[in-house]
Amino acid sequence: MGFKLCSWRPLSPLPGLTRRLPFCLQRPLFDVRALLCPALQRAGPRSLRRLQLSMTVLALEKGFAWPPFSRGGKNAGSRRRSGFLTLVLLVRSVPEGTEMFEVYGTPGVDIYICRSVDRGRERADTRRWHFDAGSEIIVVMNSPSNDLNDSHVQISYHSSRESLPLAYAVLYLTCVDISLDCDLNCEGRQDRSFVDKRQWVWGPGGYGAILLVNCDKDNLNCDERDNCDQHVHCLQDLEDMSVMVLRTQGPAALFDDHRLVLHTSSYDAQRARVFHACGPEDSCEAYRHVLGQDKLSYEVPRFHGDEEHFFVEGLSFPDAGFTGLISFHVTLLDDSNEDFSESPIFTDTVVFRVAPWIMTPSTLPPLEVYVCRVRNNTCFVDAVAELVRKAGCKLTICPQTENRNDRWIQDEMELGYIQAPHKTFPVVFDSPRNGELQDFPYKRILGPDFGYVTREPRDSSVSGLDSFGNLEVSPPVVANGKEYPLGRILFGGNLPGSSGRRVTRVVRDFLNAQKVQSPVELFVDWLAVGHVDEFLSFVPAPDGKGFRMLLASPSTCLRLFQEKRKWGHGRALLFQGVRGAQPVNTVSINQVLSNESLIGYNKFVQSCIDWNREVLKRELGLTEQDIIDIPQLFKTERRKAVAFFPDLVNMLVLGQHLGIPKPFGPVINGRCCLEEKVRSLLEPLGLHCTFIDDFSSYHMLHGEVHCGTNVRRQPFAFKWWNMVP
């Protein structure tokens, strides 16, 4: 319960002066001048400012007591009464000759005397108090009134020369408890009863309500996402919304001449929508759109007596210019005086934070794998299907009629999720690349409990870096003393301060605004395609930090080839056994090592990867023991780098099962030496390596296994609201 604090200051007390005022167990927000006697109005703005200052100081002395709230169960809507109503009666102007005063209240009204700040408060009793111009009478009420004007405070002014009071004043009180409640104590946080609902605090000791962007499509008969119109089309839609409850306790007669108004700002109205449950809960028509977009305020009818239920849906994710915080307010308006316009008595406020979109790293367990079937990749799809079977997850194949021979499903979308205490569901982030696959995320993936979001620049300034092969996320890390329990987003751009390709600003702004996976920009402009998945990936590990980062390494590959040549295998050939429509010339280890142009270019590539290596070590808190160098060579096309043989780090990670591009490396003693090297590096971690032939269907088109697949994974066990960004 909250509290209401008000002041009454009779400047010229007269015998029998009375005033009847409604008050609320809430924080103050009203114009004192409209409520008190005309004598108070003559005190002028300067005095009133002083009264309001006193009120604010007292209000901040106490916490706000808000009850735990849940959607259902025996504790749903439970209330713990620890709030109070406080009034401050400033004793200033009194009848001439006043030396003492007496004050008492009806049962349920506690009265304290504060004669100075230094001396503190004393409980009032039946004795008379010496008059001091600085005295304050503090009135405390702990519960709502049963009837109008059922409590009062009486003050009498006395002189030692008179047996009867010089004057007295009576203040009649009607106290109501009105609060706007929502779920503030999220899972994993401490149960905190005393919190300021106007604030949203991160961390396990924090508090604050959470709002989901209602970006899925629960009713398949609708063409748009659920939050694209002002209707509730099916009851399942309500599960994606957050509940807000308006509670009122006090005399019903008070609302004959007082109004409750729910309202928000025009800024917040563009980012959330509110529905009022006005009828049977099992009817979609009962949920009336009352706030959002063009609706900024709503006079609340009391359909259900003491409680009115509202359902709130998010319309926008955090982004540039939007922190994710949205406020709603309820204000009690006094319309009882025909001589004055209606005046606000108090306002209660709650703040929601829109849940961020969260990426999942390759180290989390897989749930579903996506792959496109095109005209020349049947064997590839079959190999992926077998790997998926071993990993025990679901396979979804996008048919050629839908992908129109666009096989790069990793580039088209990124699969993440959003989460609130009451609901978690996956959300696909559709990239701005807009290839032939551009309709697949919206038409095939968007559906019940599967949301959709996209960001596209207005000027259509999209480059290859805006494909989501250039968007990865690390496992959880600690770097520079800062914990990142949900990992850090990684995307590629150019060197700091240089000109070149970068991810479009609208995508960068969106990723940065989510706050919980602080992005790191790497250097990829040296690559022809320009994606981070061309030189790095993450695999699970049973020790250390729980993962290893794999980096493509030309120097490791050259050392391996030099070692094989030393042992007499210089004539062993790469690309033997490659099958496809285009013939591929074989090349021996000796030819590779004697190609000075190739060797020189790979030294340049190694320097670019080393630059990223140092950035990753610094920003992810990694050591050399956390990194595995995977042998890989690159060649130049139009002054940019492409993989010389299938890019081994561009792999599909499904738990302990790895789908790795088959490199067609030099075969020595019946085994590919590149495959053998990779196995020796990864199998000691308990990983199972399956090499998939993607040479003709993907590698020749400058992509690999990872580029041609996509994975929906389990969300993190860690709840995002428990972190401190």
Side-chain angles (χ1 to χ4, degrees):
M1 185 191 303
F3 58 92
K4 171 68 183 172
L5 176 142
C6 173
S7 296
W8 181 59
R9 180 183 177 190
L11 299 182
S12 302
L14 299 173
L17 174 67
T18 63
R19 186 65 172 166
R20 292 175 171 81
L21 300 178
F23 299 105
C24 178
L25 293 169
Q26 267 300 343
R27 67 182 303 270
L29 181 60
F30 68 97
D31 188 341
V32 182
R33 289 168 292 185
L35 293 175
L36 304 184
C37 62
L40 175 59
Q41 297 180 47
R42 294 198 297 271
R46 185 183 182 113
S47 299
L48 290 175
R49 283 196 296 269
R50 184 173 182 182
L51 299 182
Q52 291 165 340
L53 177 61
S54 299
M55 290 190 290
T56 303
V57 171
L58 286 172
L60 294 176
E61 284 183 9
K62 300 288 186 178
F64 291 88
W66 301 112
F69 180 86
S70 62
R71 286 179 164 259
K74 66 179 182 180
N75 293 321
S78 62
R79 304 281 290 168
R80 289 193 294 197
R81 294 289 176 189
S82 52
F84 46 82
L85 170 137
T86 302
L87 298 92
V88 182
L89 309 183
L90 301 178
V91 184
R92 295 288 189 271
S93 299
V94 298
E96 186 177 350
T98 296
E99 298 172 355
M100 294 167 289
F101 66 92
E102 223 173 32
V103 60
Y104 73 89
T106 51
V109 179
D110 298 329
I111 302 174
Y112 301 86
I113 306 298
C114 182
R115 289 183 287 180
S116 69
V117 176
D118 296 337
R119 297 180 62 177
R121 304 173 182 178
E122 300 178 61
R123 181 177 287 275
D125 50 29
T126 56
R127 63 182 167 128
R128 293 181 179 178
W129 296 82
H130 177 73
F131 170 71
D132 185 333
S135 296
E136 292 181 346
I137 302 171
I138 300 172
V139 180
V140 177
M141 295 186 68
N142 292 290
S143 61
S145 300
N146 294 317
D147 299 297
L148 292 174
N149 304 322
D150 64 355
S151 300
H152 71 264
V153 174
Q154 178 172 303
I155 306 171
S156 55
Y157 301 88
H158 298 268
S159 169
S160 60
R161 296 182 295 277
E162 299 286 344
S163 59
L164 296 176
L166 300 177
Y168 67 90
V170 178
L171 179 65
Y172 286 89
L173 304 175
T174 299
C175 182
V176 293
D177 174 16
I178 297 177
S179 62
L180 198 56
D181 293 334
C182 49
D183 185 0
L184 301 179
N185 295 306
C186 301
E187 180 182 346
R189 288 176 161 182
Q190 302 168 8
D191 183 5
R192 305 174 69 88
S193 299
F194 292 88
V195 298
D196 184 349
K197 295 188 298 181
R198 299 165 299 171
Q199 304 294 322
W200 204 99
V201 180
W202 293 89
Y207 51 85
I210 293 171
L211 189 62
L212 294 175
V213 176
N214 193 12
C215 58
D216 67 339
K217 187 170 68 172
D218 288 313
N219 188 339
L220 294 178
N221 294 322
C222 296
D223 295 328
E224 301 286 346
R225 287 166 283 176
D226 290 339
N227 62 2
C228 289
D229 61 31
Q230 301 177 354
H231 303 282
V232 174
H233 292 286
C234 64
L235 296 178
Q236 290 75 19
D237 195 17
L238 298 173
E239 298 175 5
D240 302 334
M241 303 185 194
S242 295
V243 177
M244 185 168 63
V245 179
L246 174 59
R247 292 187 171 94
T248 60
Q249 284 192 290
L254 178 73
F255 296 97
D256 293 342
D257 51 16
H258 290 75
R259 298 193 303 128
L260 281 171
V261 176
L262 188 69
H263 55 102
T264 190
S265 68
S266 58
Y267 180 86
D268 288 348
Q270 301 303 311
R271 291 160 177 82
R273 186 180 289 123
V274 179
F275 297 90
H276 184 194
C278 300
E281 62 181 15
D282 58 352
S283 170
C284 292
E285 289 73 22
Y287 298 93
R288 178 191 302 171
H289 171 230
V290 297
L291 284 185
Q293 295 182 314
D294 58 334
K295 296 184 178 182
L296 306 184
S297 64
Y298 171 62
E299 182 177 348
V300 183
R302 302 178 76 230
F303 289 121
H304 305 98
D306 293 346
E307 287 192 1
E308 297 297 327
H309 286 246
F310 299 88
F311 291 82
V312 189
E313 67 176 358
L315 305 181
S316 301
F317 281 97
D319 212 326
F322 176 43
T323 64
L325 295 177
I326 296 174
S327 299
F328 295 102
H329 320 273
V330 64
T331 294
L332 180 64
L333 295 174
D334 183 358
D335 197 24
S336 62
N337 195 324
E338 295 180 357
D339 298 328
F340 298 96
S341 61
E342 60 183 5
S343 57
I345 294 179
F346 80 97
T347 293
D348 190 21
T349 297
V350 295
V351 174
F352 288 88
R353 181 176 290 281
V354 176
W357 179 76
I358 300 172
M359 290 181 63
T360 54
S362 58
T363 51
L364 285 175
L367 297 175
E368 184 174 9
V369 176
Y370 296 83
V371 66
C372 292
R373 187 183 299 279
V374 294
R375 56 176 174 261
N376 68 337
N377 75 338
T378 299
C379 293
F380 176 84
V381 172
D382 291 345
V384 169
E386 177 61 19
L387 188 70
V388 169
R389 185 193 65 78
K390 291 179 181 178
C393 51
K394 178 182 177 182
L395 176 66
T396 294
I397 299 175
C398 175
Q400 189 173 354
T401 54
E402 295 182 18
N403 63 55
R404 292 171 289 191
N405 280 319
D406 184 353
R407 67 198 71 204
W408 309 115
I409 198 164
Q410 181 65 229
D411 290 343
E412 183 58 40
M413 62 187 189
E414 186 67 39
L415 297 165
Y417 69 95
I418 58 176
Q419 184 173 53
H422 65 278
K423 187 70 176 284
T424 301
F425 62 81
V427 175
V428 58
F429 185 12
D430 192 358
S431 80
R433 73 184 280 264
N434 290 339
E436 295 301 317
L437 265 171
Q438 62 177 327
D439 294 334
F440 180 75
Y442 193 86
K443 291 185 176 180
R444 281 290 305 272
I445 294 183
L446 171 64
D449 290 339
F450 210 132
Y452 173 93
V453 65
T454 190
R455 289 293 182 272
E456 295 191 17
R458 293 181 180 179
D459 59 1
S460 301
S461 57
V462 174
S463 74
L465 272 63
D466 296 308
S467 297
F468 285 169
N470 191 31
L471 180 61
E472 297 296 323
V473 65
S474 78
V477 293
V478 178
N480 304 309
K482 172 74 175 171
E483 293 186 12
Y484 299 93
L486 302 175
R488 300 192 69 177
I489 289 172
L490 307 173
F491 58 79
N494 52 32
L495 287 172
S498 65
S499 60
R501 297 174 295 172
R502 293 189 74 187
V503 173
T504 186
R505 176 172 290 278
V506 292
V507 172
R508 284 185 281 130
D509 287 345
F510 175 82
L511 296 174
N512 279 292
Q514 307 313 304
K515 288 184 178 292
V516 295
Q517 295 177 304
S518 179
V520 178
E521 188 169 8
L522 300 174
F523 173 40
V524 300
D525 201 28
W526 51 277
L527 288 157
V529 176
H531 294 176
V532 292
D533 69 352
E534 296 179 77
F535 67 91
L536 71 83
S537 61
F538 297 92
V539 295
D543 57 358
K545 294 181 173 65
F547 69 90
R548 295 290 191 274
M549 181 175 72
L550 310 185
L551 287 181
S553 176
S555 59
T556 298
C557 186
L558 291 173
R559 283 196 300 270
L560 175 65
F561 284 1
Q562 288 166 352
E563 176 185 317
K564 298 305 179 183
R565 183 177 65 176
K566 179 180 178 181
W567 289 98
H569 303 295
R571 293 184 179 181
L573 299 176
L574 288 84
F575 309 134
Q576 274 190 315
V578 172
R579 290 174 292 180
Q582 297 180 353
V584 177
N585 295 325
T586 59
V587 57
S588 69
I589 290 178
N590 286 335
Q591 288 174 308
V592 169
L593 294 179
S594 62
N595 189 331
E596 294 184 1
S597 176
L598 181 66
I599 299 298
Y601 189 72
N602 274 274
K603 288 181 179 179
F604 162 74
V605 169
Q606 186 66 60
S607 69
C608 295
I609 295 174
D610 287 344
W611 191 93
N612 286 303
R613 185 191 200 96
E614 294 307 311
V615 172
L616 290 161
K617 288 167 64 176
R618 180 178 67 250
E619 299 297 333
L620 302 184
L622 304 181
T623 65
E624 286 297 325
Q625 288 70 37
D626 303 315
I627 302 172
I628 296 177
D629 291 305
I630 301 297
Q632 185 65 49
L633 292 180
F634 294 83
K635 61 184 179 180
T636 179
E637 286 190 8
R638 299 179 181 178
R639 304 183 65 184
K640 301 288 185 180
V642 297
F644 182 71
F645 52 79
D647 193 344
L648 292 162
V649 298
N650 193 277
M651 63 180 67
L652 174 61
V653 181
L654 302 178
Q656 308 302 311
H657 298 274
L658 309 180
I660 305 171
K662 184 175 181 61
F664 290 95
V667 177
I668 298 171
N669 298 325
R671 296 176 180 269
C672 170
C673 68
L674 289 173
E675 291 185 17
E676 288 297 292
K677 179 64 175 179
V678 171
R679 290 184 190 276
S680 70
L681 294 170
L682 300 182
E683 289 185 348
L685 300 175
L687 302 172
H688 305 286
C689 300
T690 298
F691 292 91
I692 297 176
D693 181 0
D694 71 349
F695 202 101
S696 297
S697 54
Y698 290 87
H699 172 70
M700 296 291 286
L701 302 174
H702 297 164
E704 310 290 354
V705 174
H706 184 260
C707 305
T709 56
N710 214 313
V711 185
R712 177 172 63 89
R713 301 181 184 275
Q714 286 186 15
F716 284 98
F718 182 88
K719 309 303 181 185
W720 63 266
W721 51 81
N722 287 324
M723 71 174 293
V724 179

